[in-house]
Amino acid sequence: MSINTTQLIHSLPVDPLTGSISVPIYQTATFVQDAPGVHKGFDYARSNNPTRAALEQLVAHLEGGTNAYAFATGLAAIDAVLKLLSAGDEIIAVDDIYGGAYRLFTHVYAKFGIKVHYVDTTEADNVLQYINEKTKLIWLESPTNPTLKVSDIERIAAIAKSFNALVVVDNTFASPVAQQPFQLGADIIIHSGTKYLGGHSDLVAGLVVVNNTELADQIKFIQNASGGILGPNDCWLLIRGIETLTLRVTRQCETALQVATFLESHDAVATVYYPGLSSHKNHEIAARQQNGLFGGVISFTLKEDTEAAANALVTNTQYFKLAESLGGVKSLICSPPQMTHKSIPREKRLQSGVADSLIRISCGIEEAEDLIKDLEQALVKAQVSATVTAAQAV
């Protein structure tokens, strides 16, 4: 089911007090009460805020969930979900996982007795090798960061249900425009609102979306008890970004497919990871569960598989700006082994497919032909650099 843009942008009510068509920013720490415990639904800004409430209702609508909760960062949102667990519980997580999530799992929650099995979930049956009565969460990114692996969410959700485990889907890369995980059997959806939802590289935020009241009560309690909330100003920025989400993501997906096709044909490129290409391992699954939209992120490796070759490319682009993050209107480029996934040990990184020369690009809303020309000239410079390096080594 695709998002109805008309319904989306009109799901935000006009401010009943003033008629403002833009959601007001309630920049306040507390709210006056008529009597102890008697108020207008708000008492303290950590517990709730009208601007945040409007954002949370919007995101719940966007994902087809019952409730959504806004956090200060994507990692704060992930942390809130992990707080559902107890010592001795286990997680099955996709092996090609976001570096920040890996760091949180490994260096924070492992010492509290939470065990994580990293599994190649591109084959759903691999989950069966690790799932047991201690498994509480199956943690998926689809597509993954950074090698764009795609998992069959519906098939894995069916396996999870037979063991009473919850399926968590990080839907950041696909966005709600391309993928609706609740319709595929997911229980919890995670977003880094920093990326496509915000869309302008001007905020950091995280969202947790659920589709039943029991989980809603638990996440709400954790949000209030832990206090990692998103402030009202950033909530307003995120609302503004979401209003143009479908327009941006559709354009970015169209551009990315053209760029990926170009990269696949270039003689300096070894492998291109993009679910929209027929060469992608799970292209058919992606086509089925991503509404025919394959995202704006592409990763690729160079035939000269070295960090030096990657550096020669990522430091010579003009439109693609060298920076972490993705999903914004301006195109970005990065070297995951040296940037976003540096916290993952090299051996484990290579096992999950993150080669030394892996480059990740996020297509913005520029003209596709301009982005292709930019990559073309940078690839030439990377080839020249590799030739010079090889000559110096002789």
Side-chain angles (χ1 to χ4, degrees), residues 280-345:
H280 188 280
K281 176 182 177 180
N282 282 344
H283 169 70
E284 292 183 2
I285 293 174
R288 183 177 73 243
Q289 68 184 21
Q290 289 184 220
N291 300 324
L293 296 171
F294 301 101
V297 177
I298 306 160
S299 291
F300 61 98
T301 58
L302 302 173
K303 289 182 179 176
E304 179 70 24
D305 187 25
T306 63
E307 288 185 356
N311 287 344
L313 194 154
V314 301
T315 57
N316 279 295
T317 53
Q318 297 171 357
Y319 295 125
F320 285 95
K321 303 303 183 184
L322 179 60
E324 298 191 9
S325 199
L326 56 102
V329 295
K330 294 179 180 178
S331 294
L332 300 177
I333 191 167
C334 78
S335 168
Q338 302 176 83
M339 298 170 72
T340 59
H341 288 64
K342 190 175 182 178
S343 62
I344 299 177

Side-chain angles (χ1 to χ4, degrees), residues 33-34 50 56-57 59 100 110 112 140 157 178 226 240 390:
Q33 302 184 27
D34 297 327
E56 291 173 340
Q57 291 165 15
V59 174
F112 297 133
L140 302 177
S226 296
R240 187 191 64 174

Side-chain angles (χ1 to χ4, degrees), residues 27-308:
Q27 193 68 51
T28 183
T30 193
F31 301 84
V32 175
Q33 302 184 27
D34 297 327
V38 180
H39 48 73
K40 298 175 177 63
F42 304 93
D43 55 2
Y44 190 64
R46 184 190 69 250
S47 301
N48 212 342
N49 174 285
T51 313
R52 192 170 86 233
L55 168 66
E56 291 173 340
Q57 291 165 15
L58 178 64
V59 174
H61 175 82
L62 191 64
E63 284 286 15
T66 57
N67 300 81
Y69 301 96
F71 293 85
T73 67
L75 275 170
I78 293 172
D79 181 70
V81 175
L82 294 179
K83 284 174 177 160
L84 295 171
L85 304 180
S86 302
D89 289 344
E90 296 186 3
I91 302 171
I92 294 174
V94 61
D95 59 350
D96 175 26
I97 196 169
Y98 164 53
Y102 176 86
R103 182 176 57 235
L104 184 64
F105 288 2
T106 304
H107 299 293
V108 178
Y109 279 91
K111 66 184 179 183
F112 297 133
I114 307 297
K115 185 174 183 179
V116 183
H117 301 282
Y118 294 98
V119 177
D120 179 5
T121 57
T122 60
E123 298 288 346
D125 288 345
N126 289 343
V127 173
L128 291 169
Q129 299 178 33
Y130 294 91
I131 196 166
N132 59 70
E133 68 280 356
K134 294 181 180 180
T135 305
K136 302 303 178 185
L137 298 177
I138 297 181
W139 198 281
L140 302 177
E141 296 174 15
S142 188
T144 61
N145 181 11
T147 62
L148 287 301
K149 291 179 179 177
V150 170
S151 299
D152 189 334
I153 298 171
E154 191 169 22
R155 168 74 178 126
I156 292 173
I159 295 171
K161 295 297 183 291
S162 64
F163 284 84
N164 294 316
L166 299 176
V167 172
V168 182
V169 175
D170 187 327
N171 204 30
T172 299
F173 269 43
S175 89
V177 177
Q179 185 167 263
Q180 299 277 304
F182 286 141
Q183 295 183 16
L184 300 169
D187 300 288
I188 299 172
I189 296 172
I190 295 283
H191 275 285
S192 171
T194 313
K195 313 303 193 298
Y196 286 104
L197 296 187
H200 293 79
S201 305
D202 56 6
L203 64 93
V204 290
L207 285 306
V208 178
V209 194
V210 296
N211 63 353
N212 70 65
T213 54
E214 182 181 356
L215 281 173
D217 290 344
Q218 292 179 67
I219 296 296
K220 177 60 180 176
F221 175 84
I222 291 167
Q223 183 195 45
N224 186 50
S226 296
I229 58 163
L230 188 65
N233 206 52
D234 285 339
C235 286
W236 182 85
L237 283 171
L238 195 47
I239 290 169
R240 187 191 64 174
I242 290 172
E243 288 179 328
T244 60
L245 178 67
T246 54
L247 301 176
R248 290 184 286 103
V249 170
T250 301
R251 169 66 175 255
Q252 288 163 306
C253 290
E254 293 171 351
T255 298
L257 182 57
Q258 294 179 60
V259 173
T261 302
F262 157 75
L263 288 169
E264 195 171 43
S265 67
H266 200 283
D267 59 7
V269 175
T271 306
V272 180
Y273 302 99
Y274 185 67
L277 297 175
S278 59
S279 57
H280 188 280
K281 176 182 177 180
N282 282 344
H283 169 70
E284 292 183 2
I285 293 174
R288 183 177 73 243
Q289 68 184 21
Q290 289 184 220
N291 300 324
L293 296 171
F294 301 101
V297 177
I298 306 160
S299 291
F300 61 98
T301 58
L302 302 173
K303 289 182 179 176
E304 179 70 24
D305 187 25
T306 63
E307 288 185 356

